[in-house]
């Protein structure tokens, strides 16, 4: 036998493509090479495989070995092809029967001692294998729980190359298969979510947060240090409904590519991502040298991205958020490829009123010059803020609020949010939308969804005077529909529309 075949998966972005791994032996001086656009770590697979085979007492062909990863035009990144290459070479050398592995997908990195080590991106790789019709996938033990999330695929966990070869030899001879290594149990549930009842006072902010959660609206908060902006933002995920199974797999796949899966493997709660204000463009939007990786906007997919101290972020980083806020995806372009990542998230911005943070009320404690105050808030561009539905000005908590009754818990508020979300999903099902924030303005301003002129007269006047752009007009309509859903009304009335306009204009950034 001089030709061995098996399969693996190349992951680009968060999508996988099944790769045919072919190994051929021919006469000549011993040599081991890999072709098919491998990156540096993939090119180094022969060194790892030689050492692993030697330490597992497996014999590789003492000939010229060439391995091709097909399609050759698809870039191959990482060390996850090690096991597949080793199996293909062992088939070419006659150690493994070809029929046993031709349609099996192999994933995993080899250690020099023959151990099969965990890799990133196993979940999207197994999803791609299942979509391609593969029925069996070999994965490292550490990735077995992640791979088992994909239905319809038999997952074979392995911890050592010698164990895998022994399995195939037993199958060839009809002997009982050795017991697979035990997969460590993962805890269920996730980390505790902060509760809204911990927020003291700030009734307007609590209500604005409920509206944002119910309709999937973006939120901007301006207020002095200690007013509770961060506390409010951290409690938004606790008000959102759990992810559906399909959404959970999508979110988990992103974290799998990044190697950032939590202990419970399947992410069932909306994620909360809060990058530091010193984060670079690739860290926030995605990219990087070599392999393109998801950024914070993709890690926050189906969840919340919180930018604390927003004016401290670089201006170009903030402006790069405008496109994913509109489209729900981000495109990272390179000379040889364009990688698309999902990025449908709720944006929460928090900013102090000035660099010293004391420019509120009469501003008597503020030490900033007027020009410095203007320059500080102008770092958040108008086009970015125009895409934010709710603008809120927060003041410090008073002593009276501190002595007042405790507010509602996240569980109580989330019940109302879920009812409002259910109403929205039923209303917009015919146009393929689930939340008010996703409905195009052209639909809200036409046909049976158009509100009467007497209901929108405040918005119409604001648009005539230039206080609202057309985008702002549409976003006020979306918020008005959300308020009416929370109120249990069939359609927004004048009060709800004006309340939506007030929520948009109550912040300094409006």
């Amino acid at each position: 036998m001089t030709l061995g075949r098996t399969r693996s998966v190349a992951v680009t972005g968060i999508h996988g493509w099944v790769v045919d791994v072919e190994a051929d032996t021919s006469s000549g001086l011993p040599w081991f090479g890999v072709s098919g656009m491998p990156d540096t770590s993939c090119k180094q697979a022969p060194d790892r495989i030689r050492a692993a085979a030697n330490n597992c007492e497996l014999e590789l062909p003492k000939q010229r070995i060439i391995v091709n990863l097909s399609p050759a035009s698809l870039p191959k990144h990482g060390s996850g092809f090690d096991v597949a290459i080793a199996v293909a070479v062992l088939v070419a050398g006659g150690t493994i029967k070809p029929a046993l592995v031709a349609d099996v997908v192999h994933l995993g990195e080899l250690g020099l001692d023959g151990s099969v080590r965990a890799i990133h991106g196993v979940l999207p790789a197994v999803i791609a294998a299942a979509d391609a019709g593969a029925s069996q996938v070999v994965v490292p033990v550490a990735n077995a729980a992640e791979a088992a999330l994909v239905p319809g695929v038999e997952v074979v966990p392995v911890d050592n190359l010698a164990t895998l070869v022994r399995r195939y030899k037993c199958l060839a001879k009809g002997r009982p298969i050795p017991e697979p290594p035990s997969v460590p149990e993962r805890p269920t549930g996730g980390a505790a979510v902060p509760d809204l009842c911990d927020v003291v006072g700030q009734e307007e902010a609590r209500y604005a947060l409920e509206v944002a959660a119910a309709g999937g609206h973006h939120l901007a908060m301006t207020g002095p240090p200690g007013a509770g902006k961060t506390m409010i933002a951290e409690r938004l995920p606790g008000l959102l409904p759990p992810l559906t199974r399909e959404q959970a797999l999508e979110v988990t796949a992103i974290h799998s590519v990044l190697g950032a899966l939590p202990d419970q493997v399947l992410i069932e709660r909306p994620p909360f991502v809060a990058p530091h204000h010193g984060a670079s463009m690739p860290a926030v939007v995605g990219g990087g040298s070599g392999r393109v990786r998801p950024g914070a906007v993709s890690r926050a997919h189906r969840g919340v991205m919180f930018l604390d101290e927003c004016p401290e972020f670089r201006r170009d980083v903030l402006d790069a958020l405008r496109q994913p806020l509109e489209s729900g995806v981000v495109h990272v372009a390179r000379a040889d490829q364009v990688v698309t990542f999902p990025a449908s998230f709720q944006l929460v911005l928090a900013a102090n009123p000035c660099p010293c943070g004391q420019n509120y009320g009469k501003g008597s404690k503020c030490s900033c010059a007027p020009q410095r105050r203007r320059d500080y808030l102008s770092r958040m561009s108008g086009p970015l803020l125009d895409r934010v539905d709710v603008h809120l000005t927060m003041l410090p908590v008073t002593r009276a609020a501190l002595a007042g009754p405790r507010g509602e818990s996240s569980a109580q508020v989330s019940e109302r949010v879920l009812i409002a979300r259910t109403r929205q999903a039923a209303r917009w099902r015919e146009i393929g939308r689930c939340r008010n924030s996703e409905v195009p303005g052209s639909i809200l301003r036409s046909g049976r969804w158009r509100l009467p002129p007497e209901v929108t007269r405040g918005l119409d006047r604001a648009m005539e005077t230039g206080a609202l752009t057309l985008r702002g007009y549409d976003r006020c309509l979306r918020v008005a529909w959300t308020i009416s859903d929370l109120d249990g009304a069939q359609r927004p009335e004048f009060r709800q529309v004006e309340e939506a306009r007030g929520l948009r204009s109550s912040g300094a950034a409006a």
Side-chain angles (χ1 to χ4, degrees):
M1 183 69 186
T2 62
L3 182 64
R5 287 192 179 93
T6 189
R7 306 169 87 186
S8 191
V9 178
V11 176
T12 301
I14 63 165
H15 302 288
W17 284 266
V18 173
V19 171
D20 291 322
V21 181
E22 304 167 315
D24 181 75
T25 59
S26 58
S27 59
L29 294 175
W31 178 79
F32 195 161
V34 179
S35 65
M37 288 190 70
D39 68 354
T40 302
S41 60
C42 189
K43 283 181 180 178
Q44 295 169 347
D47 297 328
R48 293 189 293 270
I49 292 171
R50 279 198 191 96
N54 182 59
N55 288 312
C56 291
E57 299 182 353
L58 298 171
E59 187 174 349
L60 297 181
K62 294 181 174 61
Q63 297 170 285
R64 180 183 176 88
I65 303 172
I66 180 65
V67 173
N68 182 49
L69 306 178
S70 177
S73 59
L74 181 69
K76 318 300 187 305
H77 300 284
S79 56
F81 298 93
D82 286 4
V83 174
I85 294 174
V87 168
V89 171
L90 290 170
V91 171
T95 304
I96 299 176
K97 297 293 185 181
L100 296 175
V101 299
D103 295 323
V104 179
V105 172
H106 293 84
L107 305 170
E109 175 188 329
L110 284 177
L112 300 186
D113 59 352
S115 60
V116 179
R117 298 175 178 174
I119 59 172
H120 297 170
V122 164
L123 179 57
V126 177
I127 291 175
D131 292 341
S135 59
Q136 191 176 87
V137 179
V138 174
V139 300
V141 172
N143 295 125
E146 177 185 349
L149 296 174
V150 183
V153 178
E154 180 188 356
V155 175
V156 180
V158 293
D159 57 359
N160 191 278
L161 180 61
T163 304
L164 180 61
V165 173
R166 192 179 308 119
R167 169 187 169 85
Y168 286 132
K169 287 183 176 181
C170 289
L171 285 172
K173 297 178 180 179
R175 296 176 181 174
I177 303 173
E179 284 291 326
S182 58
V183 178
E185 293 186 4
R186 301 292 187 116
T188 58
V193 179
D195 201 296
L196 190 60
C197 66
D198 297 332
V199 178
V200 177
Q202 302 295 7
E203 293 302 321
E204 184 181 2
R206 291 169 61 95
Y207 178 68
L209 191 72
E210 181 177 344
V211 172
H217 304 292
H218 307 305
L219 172 66
M221 297 176 286
T222 304
K229 302 185 295 295
T230 301
M231 287 189 70
I232 288 289
E234 289 175 342
R235 279 144 184 82
L236 178 55
L239 305 185
L240 303 177
L243 302 176
T244 64
R245 175 75 179 186
E246 182 181 356
Q247 292 171 342
L249 285 175
E250 189 179 21
V251 172
T252 305
I254 296 170
H255 288 73
S256 172
V257 169
L258 292 167
L261 281 181
D263 290 337
Q264 76 273 13
V265 182
L266 184 64
I267 300 175
E268 299 177 292
R269 297 291 312 176
F272 179 82
V273 179
H276 187 264
H277 56 73
S280 64
M281 179 81 76
V284 174
V285 178
S289 58
R291 187 173 185 177
V292 179
R293 291 165 56 85
V297 294
S298 297
R299 286 192 288 120
H301 182 58
R302 304 291 184 187
V304 178
M305 188 168 79
F306 175 48
L307 302 186
D308 199 7
E309 306 294 344
C310 182
E312 300 294 340
F313 282 80
R314 283 170 33 191
R315 177 71 177 265
D316 61 330
V317 172
L318 292 176
D319 285 341
L321 299 176
R322 288 152 55 179
Q323 181 261 328
L325 285 177
E326 291 288 345
S327 63
V329 296
V330 61
H331 304 284
V332 181
R334 291 292 181 266
D336 58 344
Q337 62 179 329
V338 176
V339 181
T340 300
F341 295 111
S344 178
F345 58 92
Q346 279 186 256
L347 178 64
V348 179
L349 306 175
N352 292 327
C354 65
C356 75
Q358 301 302 315
N359 185 31
Y360 64 92
K362 295 182 179 179
S364 57
K365 297 181 181 180
C366 179
S367 59
C368 303
Q371 184 62 43
R372 192 179 179 208
R373 289 199 294 265
R374 286 193 296 270
D375 292 343
Y376 182 73
L377 288 179
S378 67
R379 297 178 189 175
M380 298 182 291
S381 67
L384 173 63
L385 293 176
D386 200 33
R387 289 167 167 79
V388 177
D389 308 323
V390 178
H391 297 263
L392 186 68
T393 296
M394 298 177 62
L395 296 175
V397 178
T398 63
R399 183 178 179 183
L402 190 63
R406 197 176 187 186
E408 290 182 297
S409 67
S410 293
Q412 292 172 299
V413 177
S414 64
E415 289 181 5
R416 296 196 296 269
V417 169
L418 183 58
I419 293 172
R421 287 280 185 106
T422 303
R423 292 169 60 91
Q424 296 166 47
R427 180 193 307 124
W428 306 121
R429 185 179 295 114
E430 61 187 60
I431 63 171
R433 309 289 181 173
C434 296
R435 302 177 300 176
N436 290 328
S437 61
E438 301 170 349
V439 181
S442 58
I443 292 179
L444 296 177
R445 289 182 273 107
S446 62
R448 62 192 177 105
W449 304 115
R450 181 182 178 88
L451 300 179
E454 61 270 17
V455 173
T456 61
R457 62 180 182 272
L459 289 183
D460 297 336
R461 190 180 308 113
M463 190 172 177
E464 287 177 0
T465 60
L468 273 181
T469 63
L470 179 58
R471 180 187 288 118
Y473 186 99
D474 290 340
R475 291 187 178 274
C476 284
L477 289 178
R478 293 167 183 157
V479 174
W481 277 98
T482 299
I483 295 172
S484 70
D485 287 330
L486 289 170
D487 292 344
Q490 292 297 320
R491 298 171 69 87
E493 299 295 337
F494 178 75
R495 179 187 65 80
Q496 282 116 354
V497 173
E498 287 302 291
E499 194 172 328
R501 187 163 69 96
L503 284 174
R504 184 172 179 84
S505 61
S506 64

